[in-house]
């Protein structure tokens, strides 16, 4: 069957036997898919080389053997390293990490939502842009330096402590504590919560709020039933973007928590650099990864269905 | 605007056709920074009335409606609904519901959830809610689509959901902001008659905003014509069409020829070419007015067939437009071209470009407008 179109599509002989339109459509779809693949190829290559391969290496090492001299050998595959995860020490590290990461996420959300809401509801483009730049300014300086500054701020000789002493409230000394780590984590990851929230809130059609108010909703009810559900994609994205890195945080707790309050991240670094127990470090990494992956999948599944 | 217009800022009680007043605006003004969106509007809408606010884009229709809904508060003036002063009462505490210009359906809720929203907010019991939602959905003929999301509906279906979502609350006043604006012509006409039937069936007060004069004429009990924040004229469709008070109203509603004229005496106006026409204006001599002549009220005839007692202007056919059911002539009468619409009936004489003709009309076809 031939087509009536002026332009003859470059069909293969067997396609020409099929009915005109569907064959054309299929051919054009295939071509579009091929083009899309070519465009995405560099990113694929990058992800495979620098993400997938290292992950496989970590996975392989977690099953490797550590010989008596502390050298990891890629033979005698075993699950010893995973068994060690049940030890009480590691379990307490896990609990502390989990609690801190959850607290960080919740606090970030509580701090960010009103701010993002405020940003998204400004009429003036200039004000929005200025606020957005304000959020991003910290990104422009070194994270390590900023974390040290927080340590100074929180130390017993820091400005906070001095201020509190000068008004007679006594010394503030929260450096090297869980609280300090929490403050540091919240500070470090706040923008990761604000930006997706802002993006989600900014897209909301505010006529919907008026419609809700017109349908007898109070301001709070309109928020609960309309704004909040519509901003959920931003909330989910922000929570994942904050929870995941806080769960693996290392620098912050190293600088602000000191040696007595290690997090999972610090434990892993210790296994690799000090204890030289690569399989143990790798196993913990794999477990964290698996937990993250499952958590993210579940969150997206449930989130995706109710949105 | 002269004394022919309704006194701004005062609701004209004599014009209320219904015994019970539903919505009343008194000297309502709304300013946004420097813009005066609504300028001392006075209005009284009766219970069960289909009232349309008609005017060009940006004239303040939406703003007026939003003030009634409580989504915006007047800078000055007062709004009463069923006699109750609304003041700064928030929208959720007002006995009105709105069908928004863009529908504003909740995208994350199904049709049924959208419709039941208002009832939930007012804590109507679940059993009653379910029943009323089903009823409202049936009323707008969307049964079977309860579980769809708005994104999976056509424009006309979305419009019906918006309507059901408002109607289910049984408001005494329904505010509609160009509810059919986004629909194509055929669907719009269908929905117009459905809406009108629904309004009569349920007996609601409709405040209906539109910039489509035909829509306003066919659906309304009364029309309020707005321009640049002013309410220029309020009246039944026939009155608005037949007796426009201002040049703007005459021009905006339907097509018309506006002939500049000067008042000569209580009974006579004088056209630009010196012709005198009998027209009672009640205005002082020397006042500038316009004579409004609807194209379909005029006739084109050969000059020799004009008798001296006819009102007529001599001219030359300048263009002829064949429109199927009618022929529209442009007749040049010296200082302007007059449009004449002749129904295409069997036996009508067709004139050609260049023909020397007269445009004639009867006195009742004329209306005098100011400004
Ligand atoms: N929030 C606002 N801030 C500033 N000016 C406004 C605001 N809302 C409306 N206006 C102005 O008030 C005037 C009336 O607007 P309104 O929306 O009532 O017009 P409308 O008659 O509904 O027009 P349309 O037919 O285009 O919907 C316009 O000049 C508009 O620019
Ligand atoms: Mg409008």
């Amino acid at each position: 069957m031939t087509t009536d179109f002026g332009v003859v599509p470059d069909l293969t002989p067997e396609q020409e036997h099929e009915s005109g339109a569907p064959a054309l459509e299929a051919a054009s779809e295939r071509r579009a898919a091929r083009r899309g693949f070519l465009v995405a190829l560099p990113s694929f290559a990058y992800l495979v080389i620098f993400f997938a391969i290292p992950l496989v290496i970590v996975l392989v090492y977690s099953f490797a053997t550590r010989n008596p001299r502390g050298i990891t050998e890629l033979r005698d595959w075993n699950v010893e390293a995973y068994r060690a995860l049940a030890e009480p020490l590691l379990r307490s590290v896990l609990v502390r990490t989990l609690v801190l990461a959850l607290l960080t996420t919740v606090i970030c959300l509580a701090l960010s939502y009103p701010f993002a809401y405020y940003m998204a509801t400004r009429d003036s483009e200039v004000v929005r842009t200025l606020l957005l730049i304000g959020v991003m300014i910290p990104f422009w300086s070194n994270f390590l330096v900023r974390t040290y500054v927080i340590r100074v701020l929180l130390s017993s000789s820091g400005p906070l402590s001095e201020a509190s002493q000068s008004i007679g409230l006594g010394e503030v000394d929260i450096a090297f504590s869980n609280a300090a780590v929490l403050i540091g984590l919240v500070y470090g990851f706040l923008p990761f919560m604000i930006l997706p929230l802002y993006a989600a809130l900014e897209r909301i059609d505010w006529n919907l709020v008026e419609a809700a108010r017109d349908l007898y909703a109070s301001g709070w009810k309109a928020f609960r039933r309309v704004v909040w559900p519509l901003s959920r994609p931003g909330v989910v994205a922000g929570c994942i973007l904050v929870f995941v890195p806080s769960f693996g945080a290392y620098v912050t707790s190293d600088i602000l928590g000191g040696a007595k309050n290690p997090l999972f991240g610090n434990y892993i670094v210790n296994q690799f650099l000090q204890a030289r127990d690569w399989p143990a470090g790798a196993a913990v990494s794999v477990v964290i990864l698996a937990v993250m992956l499952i958590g993210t999948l579940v969150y997206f599944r449930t989130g995706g269905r109710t949105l | 605007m002269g004394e022919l217009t309704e006194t701004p800022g005062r609701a004209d009680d004599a014009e209320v056709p219904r015994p019970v007043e539903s919505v009343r605006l008194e000297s309502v003004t709304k300013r946004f920074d420097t813009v005066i969106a609504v300028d001392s509007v006075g209005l009284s809408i009766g219970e069960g009335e289909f009232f349309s606010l008609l005017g060009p884009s940006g004239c303040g229709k939406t703003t007026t409606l939003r003030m009634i809904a409580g989504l915006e508060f007047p800078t000055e003036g007062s709004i009463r609904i069923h006699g109750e002063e609304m003041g700064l009462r928030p929208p959720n505490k007002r006995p009105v519901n709105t069908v928004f210009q863009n529908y504003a359906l909740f995208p994350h809720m199904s049709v049924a959830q959208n419709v039941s929203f208002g009832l939930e907010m007012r804590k109507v019991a679940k059993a009653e809610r379910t029943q009323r939602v089903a009823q409202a959905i049936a009323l707008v003929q969307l049964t079977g689509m309860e579980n769809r999301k708005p994104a999976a509906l056509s424009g006309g279906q979305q419009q019906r959901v918006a309507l059901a979502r408002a109607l289910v609350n049984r408001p005494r006043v329904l505010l509609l902001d160009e509810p059919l604006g986004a629909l194509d012509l055929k669907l719009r006409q269908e929905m117009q008659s459905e809406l009108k039937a629904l309004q009569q069936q349920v007996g609601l007060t409709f405040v209906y905003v539109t910039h489509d004069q035909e829509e306003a004429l066919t659906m309304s009990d009364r029309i309020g014509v707005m321009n640049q924040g002013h309410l220029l004229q309020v009246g039944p469709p026939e009155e608005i069409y037949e007796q426009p008070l201002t040049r703007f109203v005459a021009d905006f509603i339907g097509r018309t020829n506006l002939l500049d004229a000067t008042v000569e005496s209580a009974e006579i106006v004088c056209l630009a070419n010196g012709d005198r026409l009998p027209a009672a204006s009640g205005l002082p001599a020397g006042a500038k007015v316009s004579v409004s002549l609807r194209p379909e009220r005029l006739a084109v005839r050969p000059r020799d067939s004009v008798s001296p007692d006819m009102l007529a202007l001599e001219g030359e056919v300048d263009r002829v437009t064949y429109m199927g059911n009618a022929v529209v002539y442009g007749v040049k009468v010296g200082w302007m071209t007059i449009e004449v619409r002749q129904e295409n009936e069997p036996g009508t004489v067709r004139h050609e470009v260049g023909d020397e003709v007269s445009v004639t009309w009867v006195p009742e076809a004329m209306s005098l407008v100011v400004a």
Side-chain angles (χ1 to χ4, degrees):
Chain A
M1 193 179 152
T2 53
T3 53
D4 293 333
F5 301 131
V7 182
V8 180
D10 53 338
L11 297 175
T12 58
E14 59 282 15
Q15 281 172 329
E16 265 176 322
H17 291 300
E18 293 163 20
S19 65
L24 253 184
E25 203 182 334
S28 100
E29 264 169 25
R30 232 169 293 142
R31 218 170 312 144
R34 207 181 313 137
R35 236 189 341 261
F37 177 73
L38 285 178
V39 170
L41 194 57
S43 342
F44 275 137
Y46 182 90
L47 286 170
V48 167
I49 296 172
F50 294 106
F51 282 79
I53 294 179
L55 278 182
V56 172
I57 295 177
V58 169
L59 195 64
V60 167
Y61 268 79
S62 70
F63 295 106
T65 313
R66 184 171 175 261
N67 73 15
R69 280 171 298 146
I71 309 288
T72 306
E73 292 175 357
L74 296 178
R75 58 181 176 79
D76 296 338
W77 305 106
N78 63 79
V79 292
E80 238 3 86
Y82 289 92
R83 226 169 260 148
L85 288 172
E87 282 171 24
L89 169 72
L90 203 53
R91 225 180 305 139
S92 75
V93 173
L94 173 68
V95 169
R96 179 166 40 244
T97 310
L98 208 59
V99 168
L100 271 176
L102 280 174
L103 275 177
T104 304
T105 310
V106 169
I107 293 171
C108 275
L109 182 61
L111 288 177
S112 303
Y113 204 98
F115 184 76
Y117 187 94
Y118 178 84
M119 273 209 296
T121 49
R122 288 317 90 189
D123 283 333
S124 152
E125 197 74 41
V126 180
V127 172
R128 284 174 180 225
T129 311
L130 283 178
L131 288 171
L132 213 54
I133 290 173
V135 171
M136 290 190 295
I137 281 177
F139 278 127
W140 301 344
S141 69
N142 184 287
F143 182 66
L144 213 61
V145 172
R146 284 186 283 134
T147 309
Y148 272 111
V149 170
I150 290 200
R151 182 156 93 180
V152 172
L153 192 70
L154 297 180
S155 72
S156 53
S157 57
L160 264 187
S161 184
E162 268 172 32
S164 117
Q165 273 168 316
S166 73
I167 56 167
L169 286 178
E171 201 178 74
V172 175
D173 187 9
I174 44 174
F176 307 117
S177 65
N178 284 330
V181 176
L182 187 60
I183 290 172
L185 288 174
V186 168
Y187 166 73
F189 299 127
L190 201 58
F192 295 106
M193 185 65 92
I194 293 177
L195 294 179
L197 279 180
Y198 170 72
L201 285 165
E202 203 243 2
R203 263 182 319 176
I204 291 179
D205 175 4
W206 295 96
N207 285 324
L208 298 175
V209 175
E210 295 195 331
R213 296 301 309 274
D214 185 67
L215 293 163
Y216 314 106
S218 62
W220 164 248
K221 270 281 162 68
F223 173 78
R224 264 291 292 119
R225 298 292 306 271
V226 177
V227 178
W228 175 255
L230 288 175
S231 66
R232 272 269 289 280
V235 173
V236 172
C239 286
I240 290 172
L241 286 177
V242 170
F243 182 81
V244 170
S246 2
F247 197 73
Y250 153 64
V251 174
T252 311
S253 78
D254 204 43
I255 297 175
L256 295 173
K260 49 184 201 309
N261 300 308
L263 295 184
F264 245 25
N266 308 84
Y267 178 85
I268 295 170
V269 171
N270 279 341
Q271 292 308 308
F272 276 100
L273 301 185
Q274 271 136 44
R276 294 196 137 268
D277 190 346
W278 286 19
V284 175
S285 303
V286 169
V287 169
I288 293 180
L289 204 81
V291 169
M292 297 288 169
L293 197 65
I294 292 167
T296 309
L297 284 180
V298 167
Y299 217 147
F300 269 129
R301 268 286 169 78
T302 54
R305 207 174 296 137
T306 52
L307 282 177
Chain B
M1 253 178 308
E3 52 186 272
L4 286 175
T5 52
E6 191 178 32
T7 317
R10 201 179 53 91
D12 202 336
D13 288 342
E15 272 199 325
V16 180
R18 318 267 165 171
V20 188
E21 188 177 56
S22 187
V23 179
R24 183 185 183 85
L25 277 68
E26 273 173 36
S27 311
V28 170
T29 297
K30 178 68 186 179
R31 252 177 264 145
F32 294 108
D33 298 324
T34 54
V35 187
I36 302 181
V38 175
D39 201 345
S40 59
V41 164
L43 186 61
S44 169
I45 299 169
E47 179 100 63
E49 187 176 12
F50 194 123
F51 187 91
S52 291
L53 273 175
L54 175 64
S57 187
C59 70
K61 309 179 294 284
T62 296
T63 308
T64 306
L65 207 67
R66 287 170 58 82
M67 286 191 286
I68 301 174
L71 296 168
E72 212 93 66
F73 298 113
T75 317
E76 283 159 32
S78 109
I79 294 176
R80 289 167 174 278
I81 299 174
H82 298 117
E84 254 185 285
E85 173 62 46
M86 287 296 125
L88 296 178
R89 197 187 285 196
N92 49 324
K93 304 254 167 68
R94 297 191 183 205
V96 299
N97 284 114
T98 309
V99 176
F100 289 86
Q101 194 159 7
N102 50 12
Y103 312 146
L105 298 178
F106 305 125
H108 55 300
M109 296 182 198
S110 68
V111 168
Q113 286 168 332
N114 263 283
V115 175
S116 94
F117 188 88
L119 298 178
E120 274 173 60
M121 290 302 117
R122 286 201 302 181
K123 307 208 160 51
V124 173
K126 182 136 177 37
E128 188 189 344
R129 212 163 67 208
T130 315
Q131 185 221 338
R132 276 168 72 173
V133 167
Q135 239 171 29
I137 290 178
L139 189 69
V140 297
Q141 297 165 24
L142 282 179
T143 308
M145 303 202 179
E146 289 86 350
N147 296 322
R148 288 213 206 161
K149 292 278 171 69
L153 297 176
S154 74
Q157 291 165 340
Q158 290 180 23
Q159 200 280 331
R160 287 157 200 255
V161 177
L163 197 63
R165 188 177 69 171
L167 284 174
V168 77
N169 303 296
R170 301 189 186 139
R172 291 169 73 186
V173 181
L174 189 63
L175 309 173
L176 304 100
D177 192 356
E178 308 209 18
L180 309 179
L183 307 182
D184 64 43
L185 183 65
K186 193 161 177 303
L187 191 55
R188 191 157 72 226
Q189 286 168 344
E190 272 173 38
M191 289 300 298
Q192 277 172 8
S193 43
E194 281 182 30
L195 262 183
K196 179 74 190 171
L198 199 84
Q199 186 256 343
Q200 284 167 337
Q201 181 190 334
V202 189
L204 284 178
T205 308
F206 266 36
V207 184
Y208 191 98
V209 161
T210 179
H211 64 248
D212 181 344
Q213 42 114 354
E214 213 174 290
E215 190 168 286
L217 288 174
T218 53
M219 297 173 81
S220 321
D221 294 323
R222 278 194 314 155
I223 299 174
V225 184
M226 286 187 80
N227 189 32
Q228 298 183 338
H230 296 279
L231 186 61
L232 298 179
Q233 187 174 353
V234 179
E238 306 82 43
E239 196 179 303
I240 297 278
Y241 189 81
E242 313 275 348
Q243 295 147 35
L245 296 176
T246 59
R247 209 183 150 93
F248 178 85
V249 175
D251 203 27
F252 190 74
I253 315 290
R255 297 188 65 84
T256 196
N257 298 289
L258 288 165
L259 287 64
D260 293 331
T262 314
V263 174
E264 198 169 280
S265 69
E267 302 293 312
I268 305 285
V269 297
C270 184
L271 291 183
N273 67 348
D275 281 7
R276 290 187 167 70
L277 299 173
S281 63
L283 292 173
K288 297 281 178 214
V289 293
S290 295
V291 175
S292 167
L293 292 169
R294 299 277 181 204
E296 74 275 12
R297 302 282 164 80
L298 300 175
V300 180
R301 35 177 111 230
R303 287 198 188 156
D304 49 25
S305 74
V306 177
S307 57
D309 57 321
M310 283 180 181
L311 294 170
L313 279 171
E314 293 191 346
E316 186 186 306
V317 176
D318 193 37
R319 72 188 139 79
V320 180
T321 314
Y322 177 74
M323 300 186 62
N325 58 355
V327 179
V328 175
Y329 297 103
V331 180
K332 213 171 176 130
V333 295
W335 79 103
M336 68 180 293
T337 301
I338 291 183
E339 191 178 299
V340 182
R341 183 187 164 99
Q342 193 173 56
E343 289 307 311
N344 196 359
E345 284 150 1
T348 41
V349 184
R350 287 273 282 281
H351 304 274
E352 306 296 331
V353 173
D355 283 2
E356 307 252 296
V357 294
S358 279
V359 176
T360 65
W361 65 93
V362 295
E364 303 80 65
M366 258 189 329
S367 55
L368 223 53
V369 299
V370 292

